Amino acid sequence: MALWNGRFEKDMDELVKAFNASVGFDQRMFEEDIDGSIAHVTMLAKCGIVTPDERDAIVAGLENIRQRIRSGEIQFTVEDEDIHMGIEARLIADIGDVGKKLHTARSRNDQCQVDARLYLRREIRAIRQELLALEEVILRKAEAYAEEITVGYTHIQHAQPITVGFLFMAYFQMFRRDAERLADCLERMDYCPLGACALAGTTFPTDRAYTAELLGFAAPTENAMDSVSDRDYMLEFLSDAAISMMHLSRWAEEFAWWNSTEFGFLAIDDGFCTGSSIMPQKKNPDMAELLRGKCGRVYGDLMGLLTVMKGAPMAYNKDFQEDKEGLFDAIDTWKACLRIFTKMLENTTFRTERIAEQLQRGFLNATDVAEHLAGQGIPFREAHNLVGRMVKACEARGCGIEDLNEVELAAIDPRLSRAVLGDVSIPACVAARRSFGGTAPDEVRRQLAVGRAWLDVTEQESHEK
Ligand code: ARG
């Protein structure tokens, strides 16, 4: 019989037990549930609500249960309903009536929320470490490829030449924002709901600030009703996860393309590819594709919880029990994806000889020629038009802008000559894009230095916490 059975004539239907139970998934928060209970009973003793002896018996009982869960001796079943009652019931079975005092001045409604916040806090810190590890690999690769030129695309069309290091630093910014978003999320969720009780607080003279302090929160949550009905912090985390998964998925998409026979720009290590059961020649970029696929799953986790919450009246409703599986799934998926992507990136080589062939195509230097002409007094709009006509002439002859001769240039416009065009070689174009945030190797090195400084400080801070 459940701990709440006083007013019931009979036990739950077997189907209901299984349907109602959350212990199958919320038992992963058992450490946090015990930490929360220890803080709670410590507060109860400080406020004279239980005696020091009662506190000590309860704390010892909980620590004993912790060890037995860790060792696998305690196994939960649907009879336990959820992790909160599973642990409380064992405490009472182990230490007797004094165990029945633990649930004074709290409810499962606030208890499940303090567990979730503690659990998520720990996981956010772990995920931030994974993000920082990825950033470290990106920086190292960007340093190694700071000078290597590749094709920059817009609309999947050749646009302008860039360096590989520059491209990497673009991704660096994306994952930096992801890490910063997580830091924001941590800060906003840093309030302790324990002691809010069912929805309206308690008649006992509790000290919620003390509980918050014991559990390492900045302060208690302000309003009891909000404390038990708020899932914003989970939604915020899930949207952070969805955005970051989108970043991973985009890069994974690029990996799959660049790994294709048509591109051949990079070679993913054998250890990160799989073969085909029928086509012997195949080496498929399955990890990149799985990363793309798992992005959809995390979007689903976010949409799932948003939908659970949208029609929920105040305060706690059982619908909210549906908050955890999607949250856990997003945590596991995001963490695993970061880990595998980081390792795959580390083990990928860029095939610069293949890239070099493509640099000769698609008039990558066209914008630079126009800018160069504009620098010599031809208004940019006019220069743009002149280069467009050069490109047309090149297309007819099957050559590049740098191959046009004096006669061809003069036929387009008398102001044009090879001397006026200047050095329009691809390396010269890249080196000249020195504007703040541009792709010139010198400028990329500046971005690298800023990125390195941020990573060092952030890593330092994450170890201090
Ligand atoms: N297991 C529930 C959950 O995860 C917590 C219990 C609160 N349930 C209740 N009937 N008051 O949300």
Side-chain angles (χ1 to χ4, degrees):
M1 290 290 253
L3 291 174
W4 41 250
N5 73 347
R7 58 106 68 221
F8 285 80
E9 295 276 330
K10 60 179 188 183
D11 199 6
M12 273 182 279
D13 186 277
E14 287 304 314
L15 270 180
V16 171
K17 273 187 196 166
F19 190 69
N20 182 53
S22 57
V23 72
F25 49 87
D26 64 18
Q27 59 179 287
R28 72 152 90 182
M29 307 189 300
F30 81 87
E31 297 274 0
E32 288 74 18
D33 196 76
I34 290 171
D35 292 342
S37 289
I38 290 175
H40 182 67
V41 76
T42 305
M43 180 278 289
L44 292 179
K46 174 177 179 271
C47 298
I49 301 166
V50 299
T51 67
D53 286 349
E54 288 168 337
R55 174 199 60 204
D56 293 347
I58 290 172
V59 170
L62 287 168
E63 289 296 3
N64 177 274
I65 290 169
R66 191 202 297 273
Q67 293 309 330
R68 282 153 55 217
I69 300 174
R70 281 184 185 167
S71 72
E73 185 192 325
I74 292 178
Q75 295 286 327
F76 296 101
T77 71
V78 292
E79 298 294 333
D80 291 300
E81 191 170 325
D82 56 28
I83 187 62
H84 325 297
M85 290 207 299
I87 289 173
E88 192 188 339
R90 274 174 189 75
L91 182 72
I92 294 167
D94 289 353
I95 68 171
D97 281 352
V98 57
K100 294 180 181 168
K101 295 202 170 184
L102 171 61
H103 209 56
T104 311
R106 76 172 186 190
S107 146
R108 279 182 297 155
N109 297 354
D110 54 344
Q111 196 183 347
C112 69
Q113 286 311 289
V114 79
D115 290 10
R117 283 184 195 232
L118 290 170
Y119 182 82
L120 184 57
R121 183 171 77 183
R122 174 155 65 88
E123 290 297 329
I124 285 178
R125 287 177 181 154
I127 292 168
R128 283 191 82 208
Q129 287 309 122
E130 297 294 340
L131 278 166
L132 298 184
L134 170 58
E135 293 288 59
E136 177 64 43
V137 172
I138 294 176
L139 277 187
R140 273 195 270 122
K141 287 272 177 190
E143 269 153 20
Y145 289 103
E147 304 269 348
E148 295 295 344
I149 298 174
T150 188
V151 180
Y153 295 88
T154 61
H155 313 272
I156 333 178
Q157 304 286 312
H158 282 209
Q160 293 184 327
I162 57 171
T163 65
V164 178
F166 177 68
L167 172 67
F168 280 11
M169 290 311 290
Y171 283 108
F172 183 90
Q173 300 305 325
M174 288 149 79
F175 295 110
R176 172 177 171 165
R177 289 194 293 274
D178 292 345
E180 288 173 344
R181 258 188 287 276
L182 278 184
D184 290 349
C185 179
L186 264 185
E187 202 174 312
R188 212 168 293 101
M189 66 184 263
D190 197 18
Y191 298 89
C192 182
L194 195 57
C197 301
L199 74 164
T202 179
T203 55
F204 288 99
T206 53
D207 182 351
R208 290 189 54 214
Y210 184 60
T211 313
E213 189 192 319
L214 288 174
L215 291 171
F217 287 101
T221 48
E222 188 70 19
N223 176 286
M225 191 177 250
D226 177 52
S227 310
V228 297
S229 71
D230 168 37
R231 298 293 181 278
D232 290 2
Y233 67 99
M234 292 187 186
L235 289 167
E236 205 171 318
F237 170 81
L238 287 168
S239 66
D240 294 353
I243 293 170
S244 183
M245 284 298 301
M246 175 270 287
H247 292 155
L248 284 172
S249 180
R250 288 181 69 180
W251 209 351
E253 164 86 358
E254 203 161 84
F255 259 62
W257 275 101
W258 283 28
N259 187 62
S260 69
T261 308
E262 283 70 14
F263 272 85
F265 282 11
L266 55 77
I268 303 176
D269 186 74
D270 275 8
F272 293 82
C273 294
T274 58
S276 156
S277 59
I278 174 170
M279 295 170 281
Q281 85 284 14
K282 293 281 270 185
K283 176 182 156 185
N284 295 324
D286 285 25
M287 295 314 104
E289 292 163 44
L290 263 176
L291 281 157
R292 234 166 36 193
K294 285 186 189 288
C295 175
R297 169 184 179 137
V298 173
Y299 286 3
D301 295 329
L302 170 61
M303 287 315 297
L305 186 56
L306 280 170
T307 312
V308 164
M309 298 309 293
K310 73 179 260 296
M314 284 293 215
Y316 178 88
N317 304 274
K318 189 74 171 198
D319 323 29
F320 297 172
Q321 182 168 289
E322 288 292 311
D323 60 0
K324 279 172 282 295
E325 283 162 293
L327 180 72
F328 296 158
D329 182 69
I331 290 170
D332 295 345
T333 306
W334 189 9
K335 217 190 322 182
C337 287
L338 283 167
R339 212 169 270 179
I340 198 125
F341 187 83
T342 301
K343 210 165 175 193
M344 182 168 78
L345 178 64
E346 222 172 352
N347 289 284
T348 295
T349 43
F350 288 80
R351 302 178 58 195
T352 43
E353 73 299 343
R354 277 297 302 256
I355 296 173
E357 289 166 26
Q358 286 301 322
L359 291 175
Q360 300 316 315
R361 316 170 77 135
F363 309 102
L364 286 166
N365 52 1
T367 312
D368 301 85
V369 176
E371 287 186 5
H372 188 70
L373 294 178
Q376 293 172 76
I378 301 178
F380 183 77
R381 197 37 74 214
E382 212 178 303
H384 183 287
N385 182 272
L386 287 179
V387 179
R389 284 156 61 196
M390 286 184 220
V391 167
K392 202 157 50 165
C394 290
E395 267 179 338
R397 169 143 101 74
C399 68
I401 296 174
E402 58 285 355
D403 302 318
L404 292 173
N405 60 36
E406 300 291 4
V407 179
E408 288 167 313
L409 288 171
I412 293 167
D413 190 282
R415 285 169 295 181
L416 297 179
S417 69
R418 291 187 64 99
V420 169
L421 293 193
D423 184 358
V424 293
S425 69
I426 297 293
C429 294
V430 173
R433 296 206 165 267
R434 271 193 213 96
S435 61
F436 189 85
T439 191
D442 288 350
E443 170 54 24
V444 172
R445 290 214 175 80
R446 185 200 60 76
Q447 295 171 32
L448 268 165
V450 173
R452 170 60 65 197
W454 171 79
L455 187 58
D456 287 349
V457 168
T458 310
E459 246 158 14
Q460 186 67 33
E461 282 171 3
S462 72
H463 292 312
E464 281 159 14
K465 273 184 190 147

